[in-house]
Amino acid sequence: MNAKHKIYNWLISATLVVSLGACAGNGQSVAEGEIYDPFESTNRAIHDFNKMMDSAVVGPVATVYGTVVPEEVRMIVDNTASNLGQPNAFVNHILQGDGDGASTTLTRFLLNSTIGIAGLFDPATEMGVFDEPTDFGETLAVWGVGEGAYLELPIVGPSSVRDTVGIVVDLAIDPLNHVVTREQAYYLMALRGVNLIGKRNTYDDLISILLYESADSYAAQRLSYMQNKRHAVAGETVIEDLEDPYAFE
Amino acid sequence: MPLNKPNRRVVIAGGVAAFLPLRAFGLTEPAATAFVERVIDDFFAIINLNQSEAQMLRSFEQVFTPYADVDIIARSVLGPPYRQLTTSQKSAFSNAFGHYLSNKYGRQFREYRGADITITRVQNAGSKGFLVSSQMRVSGQSPWSLDWQISDRSGRTKIINLIIEGISLLTSEREEIRALLEARRGNVTELTNYLASV
C-alpha cells in the first residue's frame, strides 16, 4: 500500500469516527443497562440468515475441522492467528492509554514470535502472560463513544454501530496490513478464516446453547454480546450495575 | 412530641435501627469469600468426577439448589406474572425453575472441568449483597471471569446471581423465560411443566 492510500484510509476512518460520534449522540435515549435496537426487524432477518449459514455450512465444516485436523495443528493455527493479532491490539491499547495492556501485548508478541517460533506456540500464556485482546471498537468506547444501536452483521454476527466502525478502522490501522504484501494478505485472511472455523469448533457447546437451545436466540445473542462487550470495556463487573433481585416482590 | 404517636421520621429511624444490627452482624467480606470458596470446592468436586453428563447433572443439582437462592431468582426472573400465581403455583414454578437452572449451569460448569479457580476480589455491594470475583483458568487458555453475587437477605447466605464474562444469569434467564412464556401464550403452568421436564 502506498502513502496516498494510507492517508486515504485514515481519512475514511476519521470521517467514520466523527459521524459515529454524531449518531451515538442522538440515538442514546436508552436507560442504563438497556439495549438500543431500532433495527430489530432487519437484525432478526440477518440473524435467521446467519443461523442458517451456521447450521448449513460453518457448523458442519467446524465439526469436520475438529475431527480431521489434529489438535496440535489446530492449536498452531490458533496461536499463529492470535500472535498476528497482537500488533493491532498493541496499537489499540496505546490509543486507549492502557500502558499495562500495551506492554503485556508487546511482551506476548516478543515471547511468542521468538521462543514460540514465529507464533506457532504460545509460551507466553504458559508463563502467565495472558492475552488481552482489544480492538478499535473498545478504543472508541474508552474515548467516550457510546455503543449506539445493536447490529447483527451478515456472517460476522453480533455487533453495534460503534463496534462495526471499529472493525473498519482496525483494517486501516492494523500495522500488519501495512507490512504484508498483497499475496501475504490473502494468506493472512485465509488463516484468520480457518481460525474462526476452529473457534466455532472449540466453543461448539456454548454456541449450541446460545443459538439452538435458546427460546429466542436473537435476544439471547444480543444480550450476551452487549453484556460481554460492556464487561470487556469496563475491565470488570461494575457493582453499580448489579441488580437487586430482592427489589421485585 | 407525644411518644405514643411517632411521626414519620421516628418510624424511619426506628426502622433503620432495627435493620442495622442485622446488616452489621450479617455477611462480611471474609465470610463472603469463605462461602464462595466452599461453593467452588463443592461444585468442582462434582464437575471433576469422571461421570456421564446425566449423572453429573443429577449430583450437581443436589449441591446447586441449596446454595442458590432459587426462590428469589425465580421470582425476579419471571417478573410481573409471578404476582398472579397462587402459593402452590409459585412453589411449583420455583422448583421447576431450580431444576432447569441447575441443569443449564451444570452444563456450563462442565466446560470448565479441571480448571484452576481463584478468588481475585470481594466487594460489598450494600443491599445488592457481595460481589466475589473469581477467575477460571483452563490450561493453555486465557482466564475466564466468573463473578458470584451473594446475599444473606433471605436469612442464609446464598448465590443470587452468577456473571460469566460479564453475562448475567438473572438478565439472560429473564430474557429466556420471557420467550418461553410467550411461546406458551403466557401460560405459567405450561412453562412450569416444561422447565420441570428439561
Side-chain angles (χ1 to χ4, degrees):
Chain A
M1 201 184 286
N2 61 32
K4 209 162 140 195
H5 270 106
K6 279 183 196 172
I7 293 165
Y8 184 62
N9 272 340
W10 273 102
L11 270 178
I12 295 178
S13 313
T15 316
L16 276 168
V17 172
V18 171
S19 55
L20 174 75
C23 297
N26 46 38
Q28 289 292 62
S29 56
V30 157
E32 191 74 33
E34 304 272 296
I35 295 170
Y36 180 53
D37 190 3
F39 310 118
E40 181 164 348
S41 58
T42 315
N43 281 341
R44 280 189 183 270
I46 296 171
H47 181 75
D48 291 343
F49 168 77
N50 283 346
K51 241 175 111 168
M52 197 251 318
M53 284 298 290
D54 182 78
S55 57
V57 185
V58 184
V61 169
T63 308
V64 172
Y65 179 75
T67 326
V68 173
V69 180
E71 198 188 342
E72 293 75 19
V73 178
R74 283 183 275 133
M75 286 273 269
I76 284 175
V77 169
D78 188 23
N79 291 337
T80 311
S82 160
N83 196 48
L84 293 175
Q86 302 294 309
N88 189 53
F90 175 77
V91 169
N92 280 299
H93 281 304
I94 294 282
L95 292 174
Q96 292 162 22
D98 175 10
D100 285 347
S103 70
T104 303
T105 305
L106 183 64
T107 308
R108 280 183 62 80
F109 187 66
L110 295 177
L111 280 171
N112 287 350
S113 303
T114 54
I115 313 174
I117 316 172
L120 299 184
F121 303 99
D122 182 8
T125 293
E126 303 305 326
M127 293 178 205
V129 185
F130 300 119
D131 196 15
E132 289 190 32
T134 190
D135 51 36
F136 197 74
E138 289 183 18
T139 298
L140 287 172
V142 171
W143 290 352
V145 178
E147 59 204 11
Y150 176 73
L151 295 178
E152 183 147 343
L153 306 176
I155 313 289
V156 177
S159 190
S160 63
V161 171
R162 182 192 65 207
D163 296 338
T164 303
V165 173
I167 294 170
V168 178
V169 177
D170 276 324
L171 288 175
I173 63 175
D174 188 343
L176 211 60
N177 289 346
H178 297 274
V179 297
V180 293
T181 64
R182 179 174 290 251
E183 200 192 345
Q184 287 168 331
Y186 289 130
Y187 286 130
L188 189 64
M189 212 152 73
L191 175 75
R192 284 174 174 162
V194 172
N195 192 42
L196 286 181
I197 297 286
K199 294 256 188 255
R200 175 66 184 80
N201 174 58
T202 308
Y203 299 113
D204 186 43
D205 284 335
L206 294 177
I207 294 167
S208 293
I209 291 177
L210 193 69
L211 282 189
Y212 302 107
E213 292 175 35
S214 300
D216 181 349
S217 63
Y218 172 75
Q221 195 174 33
R222 177 178 63 187
L223 185 73
S224 300
Y225 178 80
M226 289 304 223
Q227 286 197 335
N228 181 248
K229 260 293 160 192
R230 288 167 186 170
H231 181 260
V233 167
E236 60 174 14
T237 299
V238 181
I239 58 169
E240 284 72 27
D241 295 344
L242 289 178
E243 59 170 304
D244 178 4
Y246 291 90
F248 178 82
E249 279 174 63
Chain B
M1 179 180 17
L3 273 174
N4 58 350
K5 205 170 163 245
N7 68 12
R8 186 157 47 157
R9 187 177 299 171
V10 172
V11 172
I12 290 173
V16 169
F19 190 61
L20 272 178
L22 194 83
R23 302 300 324 158
F25 294 106
L27 203 53
T28 57
E29 289 183 8
T33 310
F35 172 77
V36 173
E37 270 168 359
R38 208 167 69 232
V39 173
I40 290 171
D41 284 348
D42 288 357
F43 279 12
F44 277 83
I46 288 167
I47 294 155
N48 292 335
L49 281 179
N50 219 347
Q51 286 182 316
S52 73
E53 187 175 80
Q55 281 175 322
M56 178 259 159
L57 289 178
R58 266 196 303 278
S59 339
F60 187 75
E61 192 170 349
Q62 308 273 312
V63 186
F64 178 81
T65 315
Y67 275 141
D69 206 332
V70 174
D71 287 341
I72 293 298
I73 300 174
R75 187 175 86 183
S76 158
V77 160
L78 186 57
Y82 184 85
R83 296 194 180 110
Q84 263 86 63
L85 304 181
T86 64
T87 314
S88 68
Q89 280 177 317
K90 281 178 182 168
S91 77
F93 172 75
S94 187
N95 287 336
F97 179 77
H99 167 74
Y100 152 87
L101 199 64
S102 153
N103 265 308
K104 190 160 174 181
Y105 285 82
R107 281 179 63 199
Q108 284 240 19
F109 274 112
R110 212 172 131 84
E111 296 280 305
Y112 310 116
R113 251 203 292 189
D116 257 342
I117 175 158
T118 33
I119 293 176
T120 50
R121 193 178 182 191
V122 53
Q123 294 173 85
N124 189 337
S127 63
K128 294 186 280 192
F130 282 77
L131 185 72
V132 180
S133 303
S134 64
Q135 289 202 321
M136 292 184 288
R137 260 187 71 187
V138 182
S139 117
Q141 289 181 25
S142 297
W144 292 70
S145 108
L146 168 61
D147 298 305
W148 312 74
Q149 190 183 350
I150 61 169
S151 170
D152 62 352
R153 271 169 79 181
S154 295
R156 294 190 58 185
T157 306
K158 292 197 170 193
I159 301 166
I160 55 171
N161 197 10
L162 286 175
I163 301 149
I164 304 174
E165 283 288 316
I167 303 163
S168 145
L169 175 156
L170 283 174
T171 6
S172 33
E173 290 313 317
R174 190 169 296 125
E175 193 102 80
E176 179 70 4
I177 292 298
R178 175 199 55 76
L180 287 170
L181 190 59
E182 215 164 77
R184 286 160 187 77
R185 296 169 310 280
N187 188 325
V188 179
T189 309
E190 276 184 37
L191 173 66
T192 303
N193 293 340
Y194 167 76
L195 294 176
S197 73
V198 285

